[in-house]
Amino acid sequence: MKTRSKYGYMSAALAVGVAVAAVLTFVGCKKRPYTRIARLPLQVELDWSAVEGSGDKIPATLKLYLFREDGTLQAQYDIPKEGQVLGLLDVGTYKAICVNVNDYVEVLNSNKYETTQMVAKPASSSYLSGGLSKAEGNTVIYQPGWIFSSSIPEIRVGDPAITDDANTVSTVVFPMERRVKTVNFRFTVSGLTDEIEEVKGTLDNVAAMVELSSGEIVCGHEAASPFRLEYQADGTLGGTMLIFGNEADENPDLRNDLHLQFETESGRMITLHEDITEQMKEESVEGDLNIDIEANLDVQLNAGFVTIVITWKPGSSEDIEGQ
């Protein structure tokens, strides 16, 4: 009968252990997928191609509002127009709004993605010299200036199961859009052209507020917007007004009443009022971003008084006369 010493059994066990360790070492050398990378940086890029030609109107810096997947605000950043890399974020899904802010507007209700709005501030009394604040009951607001924004309802930072070591940065591109419309006034002046020194006015029932998540105006906050007209190189009186939109387009009960004040060389103030609702609708061009309002201005002297007669183009409104 053969016998084995206890050392023989131990040698066999050791050999098996070494073999198992070798197999584990070989397997361990293979690249294994990560089950999760907890945090990753987010590269933010801004695409300005849709507003090409805006030139110096494009702001140097913007606000970025970052929201969690449930729409609640997580953080806000100041970023340059070229974009930047944000700090480390938890892997997951986010929403975001990017917009520029100036002294004439403010962002409201930014605690939730869906409720974030931008509103034009009420104009100060010093800004409204010459009685322009009297606009048929409408609050007179500042023109918002050149506002650009973009919103993205779903941004994925990383992946719960990342299989590539190189996948260390997530990138999101914001397609920037112009958020304001321009109302371009152009008056051809005839008659006593030197009599008109200054022209200013207000336009009723423009939109004071816009939803930044959708880009749509917020109805029920109609206001009056002020503007000034100046003589152009071709001898016309012209000026541009910036608005978020036109509430009279959405509510048929509202009208775009134009209030004009002409200051004459003799120091008299001539006030004219006209409903230009139809012109505002008919003259929208370039995807409704630009509205051209044109008229002929005939300055006359009748019985010692300066009289101004306005003939609107394309003629859908009656001519008006003021003294």
Side-chain angles (χ1 to χ4, degrees), residues 162-298:
I162 297 175
T163 58
D164 186 356
D165 280 343
N167 190 5
T168 58
V169 178
S170 292
T171 301
V172 59
V173 179
F174 286 86
M176 302 304 297
E177 297 180 357
R178 200 175 94 190
R179 200 51 63 204
V180 290
K181 296 184 178 185
T182 61
V183 182
N184 302 304
F185 294 101
R186 183 173 179 270
F187 291 172
T188 302
V189 186
S190 60
L192 304 175
T193 56
D194 293 338
E195 187 66 26
I196 303 300
E197 290 286 316
E198 183 180 27
V199 184
K200 51 193 173 184
T202 56
L203 180 64
D204 282 345
N205 294 318
V206 301
M209 187 179 295
V210 63
E211 293 276 6
L212 291 177
S213 60
S214 65
E216 301 294 327
I217 63 171
V218 181
C219 293
H221 298 272
E222 59 271 11
S225 181
F227 62 91
R228 279 178 166 78
L229 304 181
E230 297 178 348
Y231 279 105
Q232 307 300 305
D234 60 0
T236 61
L237 274 170
T240 295
M241 179 172 61
L242 299 176
I243 58 176
F244 283 129
N246 185 12
E247 290 223 23
D249 283 345
E250 308 296 329
N251 185 347
D253 294 330
L254 298 178
R255 309 297 295 177
N256 293 127
D257 292 324
L258 183 70
H259 307 269
L260 287 169
Q261 293 179 344
F262 297 85
E263 184 176 340
T264 68
E265 188 179 37
S266 59
R268 294 186 64 246
M269 190 73 72
I270 299 174
T271 302
L272 300 179
H273 305 277
E274 174 69 340
D275 182 343
I276 63 167
T277 308
E278 297 307 315
Q279 285 97 326
M280 289 285 289
K281 292 178 180 178
E282 292 175 2
E283 297 305 314
S284 294
V285 294
E286 294 185 25
D288 293 333
L289 282 178
N290 299 292
I291 303 170
D292 295 331
I293 304 296
E294 297 187 349
N296 293 321
L297 256 178
D298 187 18

Side-chain angles (χ1 to χ4, degrees), residues 295-317:
N296 293 321
L297 256 178
D298 187 18
V299 185
Q300 306 169 356
L301 186 63
N302 293 322
F305 293 97
V306 175
T307 301
I308 299 174
V309 179
I310 300 180
T311 306
W312 296 95
K313 301 176 183 181
S316 58
S317 297

Side-chain angles (χ1 to χ4, degrees), residues 5 15 27 38 61 70 80 92 94 103 121 123 141 155 160 195 226 231 240 265 273-274 302 304 312 323:
S5 71
V27 172
T61 60
D70 65 0
Y94 298 84
D103 293 338
K121 296 178 181 178
I141 57 175
I155 300 171
E195 187 66 26
Y231 279 105
T240 295
E265 188 179 37
H273 305 277
E274 174 69 340
N302 293 322
W312 296 95
Q323 294 186 354

